[in-house]
Amino acid sequence: MISSKHRPTMIQIDLEAIRNNVRQLAAQLPEKTKVWAVVKANAYGHGAVAVAKSLVDHVYGFCLSNLDEAIELRQAGIEAQLLVLGVVPLEALDLARRFKIQVTVGSLDWLSQAVSLGKDLSGLALHVKVDTGMGRIGFRQLNEINQAIALMQDQGMIFEGVFTHFATADEADGSYVEQQLTRFQELLNGLIEQPKMVHASNSAATIWHKETIFSAVRLGDAIYGLNPSGRNLEMPYQLCQALSLTSELVHVKQLAAGCSVGYGATYQAAADEWIGTIPIGYADGLTRDMQGFSVLVDGQRCEVVGRVSMDQVTLRLPQPYPLGTKVTLIGQNQDEVISVQDWADYRKTINYEVVCLLSDRIPRSYD
Ligand SMILES: *Cc1c(COP(=O)(O)O)cnc(C)c1O
């Protein structure tokens, strides 16, 4: 998708905030723990190439969800370790090998099929994913893991890592994390060979379950300054939200009492009201359920009135503001702040989804 530059709607990313967040998280880790920065899904909407470039000297490597995301970083000149967390299609494995991208083995079946294609996979580095309770990809049986290790060795592949993923690390009750950890430990103890690295902790496990930390951690949400638990658990230290989203008033008019606004004519001005329009809509990730949310104009909260359109939304303004007046949808405007979490709360979802859904149509700028 082409990003819309001739439109005053933009996302500002504070790369220094991301670097500081990584530094702060890393400072709490046992010495020598490696940090994978998770930059899948365009770095949770923050821009994968820019974020990765700004972190190359601060982390061990980057996790992506698919091969194309990893190749994007390689082609941008990033030489750090790259790991694809999802299942790579067998026919794309030579690409992974060519670009020196590490991949996940999610099952013995997948590995056997890869081998039976007869391609040269020597030197390809693999991480064995163990399903200790997520129920998605990953091995559940020790004997299958050991068969996979033997097969990799036989084929000249590199047994680089073993990892698992927690389902409830962002919740107050730690019992399921404990169960998963016990299972993981049992499987690790039975391996016929130890890999170069073992990793289990996402942001939440790293922050609230230090007992899950092995030789590396995989940090996503928290490096962007978001609380992975939403408002469930308190952060032990302050991180800084890196993303802000702004637009400008492109139209301001007074509507007489009783006049309607937007599709469905769902809103009627209660009195003579100033209505401003900003050029952003559900095609940008400001979804229709944001009707009624408030954004910031001149340090004041102004309600989104009427339906959210594809490319425009309308605000009730306390007074007529000039065209070009800045509107802050996420971030600080004078003394007021709107957080990604505020959007998530309003939409009854998680902060992850809010940032991931901000469309590529919105240009990202970096400082
Ligand atoms: C996305 C992902 C992470 C990062 O999770 P956060 O909660 O964003 O830190 C870590 N591991 C795996 C397997 C993932 O898919």
Side-chain angles (χ1 to χ4, degrees), residues 248-254 275-279 317 321-324:
E248 289 178 5
L249 295 173
V250 294
H251 185 93
V252 175
K253 67 160 72 85
Q254 192 172 42
I275 300 293
T277 303
I278 53 175
L317 304 172
Y321 282 105
L323 297 186

Side-chain angles (χ1 to χ4, degrees), residues 4-12 243-251 276-281 284 286 295-298 304 311-315 317 321-333 338 343 361-363:
S4 303
K5 297 199 170 71
H6 299 96
R7 180 180 78 153
T9 297
M10 56 195 63
I11 287 172
Q12 193 80 29
L243 180 146
S244 49
L245 169 62
T246 57
S247 188
E248 289 178 5
L249 295 173
V250 294
H251 185 93
T277 303
I278 53 175
I280 181 172
D284 298 289
L286 193 143
V295 300
L296 302 173
V297 182
D298 190 25
V304 172
D311 316 297
Q312 302 183 356
V313 296
T314 32
L315 313 175
L317 304 172
Y321 282 105
L323 297 186
T325 301
K326 180 177 170 181
V327 178
T328 302
L329 297 106
I330 297 173
Q332 182 155 6
N333 185 310
I338 296 175
W343 279 47
R361 188 164 75 160
I362 310 175

Side-chain angles (χ1 to χ4, degrees), residues 90-152:
L90 299 174
E91 63 274 13
L93 277 176
D94 16 359
L95 267 180
R97 183 168 171 268
R98 172 148 35 107
F99 284 102
K100 295 196 164 36
I101 293 165
Q102 306 181 13
V103 302
T104 293
V105 190
S107 65
L108 184 57
D109 203 19
W110 179 91
L111 187 66
S112 309
Q113 285 188 33
V115 168
S116 69
L117 288 178
K119 292 179 186 169
D120 179 9
L121 295 176
S122 59
L124 182 68
L126 300 149
H127 292 243
V128 172
K129 176 73 180 283
V130 178
D131 174 15
T132 55
M134 268 293 281
R136 307 191 303 199
I137 64 170
F139 290 78
R140 294 183 81 100
Q141 305 298 335
L142 179 62
N143 68 323
E144 291 197 353
I145 298 173
N146 282 331
Q147 283 179 62
I149 294 170
L151 194 52
M152 283 185 244

Side-chain angles (χ1 to χ4, degrees), residues 101-286:
I101 293 165
Q102 306 181 13
V103 302
T104 293
V105 190
S107 65
L108 184 57
D109 203 19
W110 179 91
L111 187 66
S112 309
Q113 285 188 33
V115 168
S116 69
L117 288 178
K119 292 179 186 169
D120 179 9
L121 295 176
S122 59
L124 182 68
L126 300 149
H127 292 243
V128 172
K129 176 73 180 283
V130 178
D131 174 15
T132 55
M134 268 293 281
R136 307 191 303 199
I137 64 170
F139 290 78
R140 294 183 81 100
Q141 305 298 335
L142 179 62
N143 68 323
E144 291 197 353
I145 298 173
N146 282 331
Q147 283 179 62
I149 294 170
L151 194 52
M152 283 185 244
Q153 286 172 336
D154 184 54
Q155 298 291 317
M157 299 181 221
I158 299 167
F159 176 38
E160 185 78 17
V162 171
F163 73 111
T164 194
H165 193 45
F166 294 104
T168 63
D170 56 345
E171 294 175 11
D173 181 349
S175 52
Y176 197 70
V177 172
E178 207 176 299
Q179 266 182 51
Q180 283 195 261
L181 184 59
T182 303
R183 179 67 186 141
F184 190 49
Q185 200 73 66
E186 272 169 24
L187 292 168
L188 288 175
N189 291 340
L191 296 182
I192 51 168
E193 193 194 304
Q194 291 302 312
K196 283 195 197 155
M197 66 161 72
V198 175
H199 45 110
S201 333
N202 58 2
S203 297
T206 303
I207 295 167
W208 294 294
H209 297 279
K210 294 206 186 307
E211 72 282 6
T212 65
I213 298 174
F214 291 84
S215 48
V217 295
R218 303 182 305 271
L219 302 176
D221 207 53
I223 71 174
Y224 308 105
L226 305 174
N227 179 333
S229 79
R231 299 194 197 272
N232 274 342
L233 300 173
E234 191 103 13
M235 293 291 297
Y237 37 87
Q238 227 35 57
L239 298 176
C240 180
Q241 180 181 292
L243 180 146
S244 49
L245 169 62
T246 57
S247 188
E248 289 178 5
L249 295 173
V250 294
H251 185 93
V252 175
K253 67 160 72 85
Q254 192 172 42
L255 290 185
C259 288
S260 298
V261 178
Y263 286 113
T266 60
Y267 178 81
Q268 276 91 37
D272 292 354
E273 287 178 354
W274 290 98
I275 300 293
T277 303
I278 53 175
I280 181 172
Y282 60 77
D284 298 289
L286 193 143

